[in-house]
Amino acid sequence: MDGSTKNEEAEAIRLGWEAGKIEERSACDCPYDPNAVGLRFAWLDGFSKGRVELEKATGTEAATRIQ
């Protein structure tokens, strides 16, 4: 798609996963330009996985937490 390598995508997933585990972070924090579609999707995939871990750790869903 955008010429990114598997290693770059794996790193984007890891960075997104780390960000997703932090309650104050948002999907809007994605550091990849919209033109880097593969890396952007990889980061967002990792972010969503991090959010799932956060929800399991806090015992609540993101939409029900008071911020």
Side-chain angles (χ1 to χ4, degrees):
M1 258 189 269
D2 61 7
S4 58
T5 67
K6 292 292 181 189
N7 287 339
E8 290 171 326
E9 289 179 8
E11 179 65 3
I13 291 171
R14 186 190 68 75
L15 292 172
W17 175 71
E18 289 291 335
K21 295 188 303 178
I22 301 169
E23 190 168 356
E24 295 79 23
R25 299 290 302 267
S26 164
C28 295
D29 294 332
C30 181
Y32 298 100
D33 185 272
N35 294 325
V37 176
L39 294 176
R40 192 168 180 83
F41 281 149
W43 189 92
L44 291 168
D45 181 45
F47 184 85
S48 66
K49 290 174 181 172
R51 274 299 191 244
V52 169
E53 281 192 38
L54 176 63
E55 291 171 7
K56 287 179 182 178
T58 61
T60 60
E61 294 183 27
T64 62
R65 281 195 307 271
I66 298 172
Q67 299 194 14

